Every structure is written in structure tokens, then in C-alpha cells.
mmCIF file of all heavy atoms in Angstrom:
data_model
loop_
_atom_site.group_PDB
_atom_site.id
_atom_site.type_symbol
_atom_site.label_atom_id
_atom_site.label_comp_id
_atom_site.label_asym_id
_atom_site.label_seq_id
_atom_site.Cartn_x
_atom_site.Cartn_y
_atom_site.Cartn_z
ATOM 1 N N ALA A 1 0.818 -1.207 -0.008
ATOM 2 C CA ALA A 1 -0.005 0.000 -0.005
ATOM 3 C C ALA A 1 0.862 1.253 0.005
ATOM 4 O O ALA A 1 0.436 2.303 -0.492
ATOM 5 C CB ALA A 1 -0.933 -0.007 1.230
ATOM 6 N N TRP A 2 2.083 1.166 0.551
ATOM 7 C CA TRP A 2 2.997 2.311 0.591
ATOM 8 C C TRP A 2 3.970 2.298 -0.586
ATOM 9 O O TRP A 2 4.400 3.355 -1.041
ATOM 10 C CB TRP A 2 3.818 2.265 1.877
ATOM 11 C CG TRP A 2 3.018 2.335 3.131
ATOM 12 C CD1 TRP A 2 1.833 3.004 3.329
ATOM 13 C CD2 TRP A 2 3.311 1.695 4.369
ATOM 14 N NE1 TRP A 2 1.391 2.834 4.620
ATOM 15 C CE2 TRP A 2 2.282 2.040 5.275
ATOM 16 C CE3 TRP A 2 4.338 0.870 4.822
ATOM 17 C CZ2 TRP A 2 2.259 1.589 6.603
ATOM 18 C CZ3 TRP A 2 4.328 0.420 6.128
ATOM 19 C CH2 TRP A 2 3.301 0.770 7.011
ATOM 20 N N LEU A 3 4.349 1.120 -1.049
ATOM 21 C CA LEU A 3 5.460 1.000 -1.989
ATOM 22 C C LEU A 3 5.061 0.500 -3.376
ATOM 23 O O LEU A 3 5.910 0.411 -4.251
ATOM 24 C CB LEU A 3 6.516 0.047 -1.395
ATOM 25 C CG LEU A 3 7.111 0.495 -0.073
ATOM 26 C CD1 LEU A 3 7.859 -0.641 0.609
ATOM 27 C CD2 LEU A 3 8.046 1.680 -0.265
ATOM 28 N N GLY A 4 3.811 0.177 -3.545
ATOM 29 C CA GLY A 4 3.360 -0.282 -4.863
ATOM 30 C C GLY A 4 4.040 -1.572 -5.264
ATOM 31 O O GLY A 4 4.279 -2.465 -4.440
ATOM 32 N N ASP A 5 4.366 -1.678 -6.557
ATOM 33 C CA ASP A 5 4.824 -2.962 -7.085
ATOM 34 C C ASP A 5 6.269 -3.265 -6.719
ATOM 35 O O ASP A 5 6.823 -4.298 -7.201
ATOM 36 C CB ASP A 5 4.614 -3.064 -8.595
ATOM 37 C CG ASP A 5 5.355 -1.988 -9.366
ATOM 38 O OD1 ASP A 5 6.160 -1.239 -8.764
ATOM 39 O OD2 ASP A 5 5.133 -1.861 -10.594
ATOM 40 N N ARG A 6 6.900 -2.467 -5.851
ATOM 41 C CA ARG A 6 8.223 -2.844 -5.361
ATOM 42 C C ARG A 6 8.123 -3.968 -4.341
ATOM 43 O O ARG A 6 9.146 -4.546 -3.938
ATOM 44 C CB ARG A 6 8.925 -1.622 -4.751
ATOM 45 C CG ARG A 6 9.399 -0.620 -5.782
ATOM 46 C CD ARG A 6 9.939 0.643 -5.141
ATOM 47 N NE ARG A 6 8.878 1.460 -4.583
ATOM 48 C CZ ARG A 6 9.083 2.602 -3.939
ATOM 49 N NH1 ARG A 6 10.302 3.063 -3.769
ATOM 50 N NH2 ARG A 6 8.059 3.318 -3.475
ATOM 51 N N VAL A 7 6.908 -4.324 -3.948
ATOM 52 C CA VAL A 7 6.649 -5.408 -3.014
ATOM 53 C C VAL A 7 5.844 -6.481 -3.740
ATOM 54 O O VAL A 7 4.967 -6.150 -4.545
ATOM 55 C CB VAL A 7 5.875 -4.906 -1.779
ATOM 56 C CG1 VAL A 7 5.470 -6.069 -0.871
ATOM 57 C CG2 VAL A 7 6.710 -3.893 -1.019
ATOM 58 N N ALA A 8 6.189 -7.744 -3.519
ATOM 59 C CA ALA A 8 5.499 -8.844 -4.187
ATOM 60 C C ALA A 8 3.991 -8.751 -3.964
ATOM 61 O O ALA A 8 3.520 -8.441 -2.872
ATOM 62 C CB ALA A 8 6.040 -10.188 -3.703
ATOM 63 N N GLU A 9 3.235 -9.057 -5.002
ATOM 64 C CA GLU A 9 1.782 -8.971 -4.940
ATOM 65 C C GLU A 9 1.176 -10.279 -4.435
ATOM 66 O O GLU A 9 1.514 -11.356 -4.904
ATOM 67 C CB GLU A 9 1.212 -8.677 -6.338
ATOM 68 C CG GLU A 9 -0.298 -8.568 -6.357
ATOM 69 C CD GLU A 9 -0.856 -8.349 -7.749
ATOM 70 O OE1 GLU A 9 -0.071 -8.400 -8.714
ATOM 71 O OE2 GLU A 9 -2.085 -8.107 -7.864
ATOM 72 N N VAL A 10 0.271 -10.163 -3.464
ATOM 73 C CA VAL A 10 -0.499 -11.329 -2.994
ATOM 74 C C VAL A 10 -1.753 -11.398 -3.833
ATOM 75 O O VAL A 10 -2.571 -10.480 -3.874
ATOM 76 C CB VAL A 10 -0.862 -11.164 -1.507
ATOM 77 C CG1 VAL A 10 -1.694 -12.352 -1.048
ATOM 78 C CG2 VAL A 10 0.390 -11.031 -0.659
ATOM 79 N N ILE A 11 -1.927 -12.533 -4.504
ATOM 80 C CA ILE A 11 -3.125 -12.758 -5.318
ATOM 81 C C ILE A 11 -4.288 -13.219 -4.450
ATOM 82 O O ILE A 11 -5.412 -12.718 -4.575
ATOM 83 C CB ILE A 11 -2.844 -13.799 -6.427
ATOM 84 C CG1 ILE A 11 -1.639 -13.375 -7.285
ATOM 85 C CG2 ILE A 11 -4.082 -14.028 -7.290
ATOM 86 C CD1 ILE A 11 -1.818 -12.021 -7.985
ATOM 87 N N ALA A 12 -4.033 -14.182 -3.581
ATOM 88 C CA ALA A 12 -5.051 -14.718 -2.697
ATOM 89 C C ALA A 12 -4.368 -15.506 -1.587
ATOM 90 O O ALA A 12 -3.212 -15.924 -1.756
ATOM 91 C CB ALA A 12 -6.031 -15.603 -3.452
ATOM 92 N N ALA A 13 -5.064 -15.712 -0.478
ATOM 93 C CA ALA A 13 -4.445 -16.451 0.632
ATOM 94 C C ALA A 13 -5.540 -17.102 1.453
ATOM 95 O O ALA A 13 -6.668 -16.624 1.535
ATOM 96 C CB ALA A 13 -3.610 -15.531 1.484
ATOM 97 N N ASP A 14 -5.178 -18.227 2.097
ATOM 98 C CA ASP A 14 -6.050 -18.910 3.033
ATOM 99 C C ASP A 14 -5.289 -19.040 4.325
ATOM 100 O O ASP A 14 -4.388 -19.872 4.462
ATOM 101 C CB ASP A 14 -6.430 -20.291 2.480
ATOM 102 C CG ASP A 14 -7.417 -21.041 3.387
ATOM 103 O OD1 ASP A 14 -7.376 -20.856 4.619
ATOM 104 O OD2 ASP A 14 -8.231 -21.833 2.845
ATOM 105 N N GLU A 15 -5.644 -18.214 5.302
ATOM 106 C CA GLU A 15 -4.900 -18.167 6.551
ATOM 107 C C GLU A 15 -4.994 -19.497 7.294
ATOM 108 O O GLU A 15 -4.006 -19.978 7.864
ATOM 109 C CB GLU A 15 -5.416 -17.031 7.427
ATOM 110 C CG GLU A 15 -4.716 -16.909 8.745
ATOM 111 C CD GLU A 15 -5.131 -15.670 9.520
ATOM 112 O OE1 GLU A 15 -5.662 -14.720 8.890
ATOM 113 O OE2 GLU A 15 -4.949 -15.652 10.745
ATOM 114 N N SER A 16 -6.181 -20.110 7.318
ATOM 115 C CA SER A 16 -6.358 -21.344 8.078
ATOM 116 C C SER A 16 -5.545 -22.500 7.495
ATOM 117 O O SER A 16 -5.080 -23.369 8.205
ATOM 118 C CB SER A 16 -7.838 -21.747 8.125
ATOM 119 O OG SER A 16 -8.332 -21.990 6.822
ATOM 120 N N ALA A 17 -5.338 -22.497 6.155
ATOM 121 C CA ALA A 17 -4.574 -23.551 5.508
ATOM 122 C C ALA A 17 -3.090 -23.220 5.439
ATOM 123 O O ALA A 17 -2.273 -24.080 5.079
ATOM 124 C CB ALA A 17 -5.110 -23.786 4.093
ATOM 125 N N GLY A 18 -2.711 -21.983 5.757
ATOM 126 C CA GLY A 18 -1.307 -21.578 5.671
ATOM 127 C C GLY A 18 -0.792 -21.541 4.259
ATOM 128 O O GLY A 18 0.380 -21.846 4.014
ATOM 129 N N VAL A 19 -1.649 -21.143 3.321
ATOM 130 C CA VAL A 19 -1.288 -21.135 1.900
ATOM 131 C C VAL A 19 -1.468 -19.739 1.354
ATOM 132 O O VAL A 19 -2.457 -19.048 1.624
ATOM 133 C CB VAL A 19 -2.162 -22.140 1.097
ATOM 134 C CG1 VAL A 19 -1.895 -22.019 -0.398
ATOM 135 C CG2 VAL A 19 -1.915 -23.559 1.566
ATOM 136 N N ALA A 20 -0.523 -19.304 0.522
ATOM 137 C CA ALA A 20 -0.618 -18.015 -0.164
ATOM 138 C C ALA A 20 -0.292 -18.206 -1.636
ATOM 139 O O ALA A 20 0.610 -18.991 -1.991
ATOM 140 C CB ALA A 20 0.337 -16.989 0.454
ATOM 141 N N VAL A 21 -1.014 -17.520 -2.487
ATOM 142 C CA VAL A 21 -0.722 -17.475 -3.915
ATOM 143 C C VAL A 21 -0.237 -16.084 -4.253
ATOM 144 O O VAL A 21 -0.923 -15.083 -3.965
ATOM 145 C CB VAL A 21 -1.977 -17.824 -4.754
ATOM 146 C CG1 VAL A 21 -1.640 -17.713 -6.235
ATOM 147 C CG2 VAL A 21 -2.464 -19.217 -4.421
ATOM 148 N N LEU A 22 0.964 -16.017 -4.797
ATOM 149 C CA LEU A 22 1.604 -14.736 -5.107
ATOM 150 C C LEU A 22 1.781 -14.568 -6.615
ATOM 151 O O LEU A 22 1.714 -15.569 -7.364
ATOM 152 C CB LEU A 22 2.987 -14.676 -4.437
ATOM 153 C CG LEU A 22 3.030 -14.968 -2.938
ATOM 154 C CD1 LEU A 22 4.471 -14.971 -2.455
ATOM 155 C CD2 LEU A 22 2.197 -13.964 -2.152
ATOM 156 N N ALA A 23 2.009 -13.336 -7.017
ATOM 157 C CA ALA A 23 2.298 -13.085 -8.429
ATOM 158 C C ALA A 23 3.567 -13.830 -8.823
ATOM 159 O O ALA A 23 4.476 -14.020 -7.992
ATOM 160 C CB ALA A 23 2.460 -11.591 -8.668
ATOM 161 N N TRP A 24 3.668 -14.222 -10.085
ATOM 162 C CA TRP A 24 4.837 -14.892 -10.616
ATOM 163 C C TRP A 24 5.766 -13.868 -11.249
ATOM 164 O O TRP A 24 5.329 -13.033 -12.045
ATOM 165 C CB TRP A 24 4.427 -15.927 -11.657
ATOM 166 C CG TRP A 24 5.586 -16.595 -12.339
ATOM 167 C CD1 TRP A 24 6.025 -16.379 -13.615
ATOM 168 C CD2 TRP A 24 6.449 -17.568 -11.779
ATOM 169 N NE1 TRP A 24 7.116 -17.173 -13.892
ATOM 170 C CE2 TRP A 24 7.413 -17.929 -12.766
ATOM 171 C CE3 TRP A 24 6.524 -18.214 -10.523
ATOM 172 C CZ2 TRP A 24 8.404 -18.869 -12.556
ATOM 173 C CZ3 TRP A 24 7.503 -19.159 -10.320
ATOM 174 C CH2 TRP A 24 8.436 -19.462 -11.323
ATOM 175 N N TYR A 25 7.026 -13.903 -10.898
ATOM 176 C CA TYR A 25 8.024 -13.006 -11.468
ATOM 177 C C TYR A 25 8.978 -13.852 -12.306
ATOM 178 O O TYR A 25 9.768 -14.659 -11.802
ATOM 179 C CB TYR A 25 8.761 -12.252 -10.351
ATOM 180 C CG TYR A 25 7.803 -11.359 -9.583
ATOM 181 C CD1 TYR A 25 7.248 -11.787 -8.374
ATOM 182 C CD2 TYR A 25 7.402 -10.134 -10.128
ATOM 183 C CE1 TYR A 25 6.337 -10.978 -7.703
ATOM 184 C CE2 TYR A 25 6.494 -9.336 -9.444
ATOM 185 C CZ TYR A 25 5.958 -9.764 -8.251
ATOM 186 O OH TYR A 25 5.048 -8.972 -7.581
ATOM 187 N N ASP A 26 8.874 -13.681 -13.594
ATOM 188 C CA ASP A 26 9.545 -14.535 -14.576
ATOM 189 C C ASP A 26 11.046 -14.507 -14.381
ATOM 190 O O ASP A 26 11.655 -13.430 -14.458
ATOM 191 C CB ASP A 26 9.169 -14.054 -15.983
ATOM 192 C CG ASP A 26 9.696 -14.954 -17.082
ATOM 193 O OD1 ASP A 26 10.473 -15.883 -16.795
ATOM 194 O OD2 ASP A 26 9.305 -14.737 -18.248
ATOM 195 N N PRO A 27 11.709 -15.654 -14.149
ATOM 196 C CA PRO A 27 13.159 -15.674 -13.988
ATOM 197 C C PRO A 27 13.925 -15.209 -15.201
ATOM 198 O O PRO A 27 15.116 -14.871 -15.093
ATOM 199 C CB PRO A 27 13.465 -17.178 -13.702
ATOM 200 C CG PRO A 27 12.183 -17.738 -13.199
ATOM 201 C CD PRO A 27 11.101 -16.999 -13.905
ATOM 202 N N ALA A 28 13.281 -15.155 -16.369
ATOM 203 C CA ALA A 28 13.943 -14.596 -17.536
ATOM 204 C C ALA A 28 14.098 -13.082 -17.426
ATOM 205 O O ALA A 28 14.913 -12.477 -18.131
ATOM 206 C CB ALA A 28 13.123 -14.935 -18.793
ATOM 207 N N VAL A 29 13.326 -12.466 -16.545
ATOM 208 C CA VAL A 29 13.367 -11.026 -16.344
ATOM 209 C C VAL A 29 13.922 -10.666 -14.955
ATOM 210 O O VAL A 29 14.729 -9.738 -14.818
ATOM 211 C CB VAL A 29 11.964 -10.410 -16.511
ATOM 212 C CG1 VAL A 29 11.979 -8.908 -16.221
ATOM 213 C CG2 VAL A 29 11.404 -10.701 -17.901
ATOM 214 N N TRP A 30 13.486 -11.414 -13.976
ATOM 215 C CA TRP A 30 13.828 -11.107 -12.583
ATOM 216 C C TRP A 30 14.858 -12.089 -12.055
ATOM 217 O O TRP A 30 14.680 -13.302 -12.105
ATOM 218 C CB TRP A 30 12.553 -11.165 -11.708
ATOM 219 C CG TRP A 30 11.594 -10.098 -12.059
ATOM 220 C CD1 TRP A 30 10.526 -10.210 -12.897
ATOM 221 C CD2 TRP A 30 11.640 -8.737 -11.613
ATOM 222 N NE1 TRP A 30 9.887 -8.985 -12.978
ATOM 223 C CE2 TRP A 30 10.542 -8.089 -12.198
ATOM 224 C CE3 TRP A 30 12.473 -8.040 -10.748
ATOM 225 C CZ2 TRP A 30 10.260 -6.733 -11.957
ATOM 226 C CZ3 TRP A 30 12.210 -6.688 -10.511
ATOM 227 C CH2 TRP A 30 11.121 -6.054 -11.124
ATOM 228 N N ARG A 31 15.961 -11.534 -11.510
ATOM 229 C CA ARG A 31 17.016 -12.362 -10.948
ATOM 230 C C ARG A 31 17.054 -12.234 -9.425
ATOM 231 O O ARG A 31 16.731 -11.165 -8.890
ATOM 232 C CB ARG A 31 18.404 -11.932 -11.495
ATOM 233 C CG ARG A 31 18.498 -11.942 -12.997
ATOM 234 C CD ARG A 31 19.897 -11.540 -13.437
ATOM 235 N NE ARG A 31 20.325 -10.272 -12.885
ATOM 236 C CZ ARG A 31 20.017 -9.071 -13.398
ATOM 237 N NH1 ARG A 31 19.254 -9.009 -14.490
ATOM 238 N NH2 ARG A 31 20.435 -7.947 -12.831
ATOM 239 N N ASN A 32 17.457 -13.296 -8.767
ATOM 240 C CA ASN A 32 17.618 -13.238 -7.314
ATOM 241 C C ASN A 32 18.833 -12.395 -6.990
ATOM 242 O O ASN A 32 19.919 -12.613 -7.523
ATOM 243 C CB ASN A 32 17.759 -14.649 -6.768
ATOM 244 C CG ASN A 32 17.849 -14.659 -5.245
ATOM 245 O OD1 ASN A 32 18.938 -14.552 -4.690
ATOM 246 N ND2 ASN A 32 16.711 -14.771 -4.583
ATOM 247 N N TRP A 33 18.672 -11.432 -6.083
ATOM 248 C CA TRP A 33 19.761 -10.502 -5.771
ATOM 249 C C TRP A 33 20.941 -11.212 -5.128
ATOM 250 O O TRP A 33 22.090 -10.891 -5.409
ATOM 251 C CB TRP A 33 19.246 -9.385 -4.884
ATOM 252 C CG TRP A 33 20.201 -8.218 -4.732
ATOM 253 C CD1 TRP A 33 21.007 -7.697 -5.713
ATOM 254 C CD2 TRP A 33 20.455 -7.458 -3.555
ATOM 255 N NE1 TRP A 33 21.739 -6.653 -5.222
ATOM 256 C CE2 TRP A 33 21.411 -6.470 -3.913
ATOM 257 C CE3 TRP A 33 19.948 -7.484 -2.264
ATOM 258 C CZ2 TRP A 33 21.904 -5.550 -2.963
ATOM 259 C CZ3 TRP A 33 20.399 -6.549 -1.354
ATOM 260 C CH2 TRP A 33 21.374 -5.604 -1.706
ATOM 261 N N LYS A 34 20.685 -12.199 -4.289
ATOM 262 C CA LYS A 34 21.786 -12.945 -3.667
ATOM 263 C C LYS A 34 22.616 -13.628 -4.746
ATOM 264 O O LYS A 34 23.875 -13.561 -4.710
ATOM 265 C CB LYS A 34 21.248 -14.015 -2.714
ATOM 266 C CG LYS A 34 22.309 -14.952 -2.158
ATOM 267 C CD LYS A 34 21.716 -16.036 -1.297
ATOM 268 C CE LYS A 34 22.766 -17.030 -0.848
ATOM 269 N NZ LYS A 34 22.204 -18.114 0.015
ATOM 270 N N ALA A 35 21.985 -14.250 -5.717
ATOM 271 C CA ALA A 35 22.725 -14.914 -6.805
ATOM 272 C C ALA A 35 23.543 -13.890 -7.584
ATOM 273 O O ALA A 35 24.686 -14.168 -7.971
ATOM 274 C CB ALA A 35 21.767 -15.661 -7.730
ATOM 275 N N ASP A 36 22.972 -12.729 -7.813
ATOM 276 C CA ASP A 36 23.718 -11.674 -8.519
ATOM 277 C C ASP A 36 24.973 -11.284 -7.742
ATOM 278 O O ASP A 36 26.071 -11.194 -8.313
ATOM 279 C CB ASP A 36 22.832 -10.409 -8.672
ATOM 280 C CG ASP A 36 22.204 -10.320 -10.042
ATOM 281 O OD1 ASP A 36 22.172 -11.326 -10.753
ATOM 282 O OD2 ASP A 36 21.756 -9.209 -10.412
ATOM 283 N N LEU A 37 24.834 -11.036 -6.444
ATOM 284 C CA LEU A 37 25.979 -10.596 -5.637
ATOM 285 C C LEU A 37 27.072 -11.647 -5.598
ATOM 286 O O LEU A 37 28.269 -11.346 -5.711
ATOM 287 C CB LEU A 37 25.518 -10.232 -4.235
ATOM 288 C CG LEU A 37 24.556 -9.053 -4.108
ATOM 289 C CD1 LEU A 37 24.122 -8.863 -2.666
ATOM 290 C CD2 LEU A 37 25.179 -7.779 -4.662
ATOM 291 N N LEU A 38 26.699 -12.915 -5.438
ATOM 292 C CA LEU A 38 27.689 -13.971 -5.360
ATOM 293 C C LEU A 38 28.354 -14.221 -6.716
ATOM 294 O O LEU A 38 29.462 -14.744 -6.764
ATOM 295 C CB LEU A 38 27.041 -15.267 -4.863
ATOM 296 C CG LEU A 38 26.634 -15.262 -3.370
ATOM 297 C CD1 LEU A 38 25.896 -16.546 -3.026
ATOM 298 C CD2 LEU A 38 27.828 -15.071 -2.472
ATOM 299 N N ALA A 39 27.689 -13.814 -7.782
ATOM 300 C CA ALA A 39 28.247 -13.982 -9.125
ATOM 301 C C ALA A 39 29.078 -12.754 -9.549
ATOM 302 O O ALA A 39 29.604 -12.718 -10.662
ATOM 303 C CB ALA A 39 27.136 -14.234 -10.132
ATOM 304 N N GLY A 40 29.154 -11.745 -8.685
ATOM 305 C CA GLY A 40 29.934 -10.547 -9.015
ATOM 306 C C GLY A 40 29.163 -9.498 -9.797
ATOM 307 O O GLY A 40 29.762 -8.545 -10.301
#
């Protein structure tokens, strides 16, 4: 609500089941920052 799409989007969730469905961020576009740092 404060940061917009800089935070992962929650599509839906079931608190009692402990399940969340989040937006998919395509690995062809989005890289894990840890992997980037370790790779230089």
C-alpha cells in the first residue's frame, strides 16, 4: 500500500490452511539478488 509494485503482490491467501498465492516473477526477467551478488 505504501510501496506499490516494489513489493510482491499477494493474489489470494487462506490463513487457516497456511497457503498463499503470489504473483509470478519470470526468472527470464527477474534475478535473485543474492545470486547476482555472489556472481559478481
Side-chain angles (χ1 to χ4, degrees):
W2 300 327
L3 299 166
D5 61 8
R6 288 173 287 179
V7 174
E9 180 183 7
V10 179
I11 304 301
D14 184 328
E15 180 173 340
S16 63
V19 173
V21 178
L22 308 176
W24 176 254
Y25 297 98
D26 187 351
V29 177
W30 293 96
R31 304 182 306 277
N32 183 271
W33 192 39
K34 174 184 175 180
D36 260 18
L37 296 177
L38 290 176

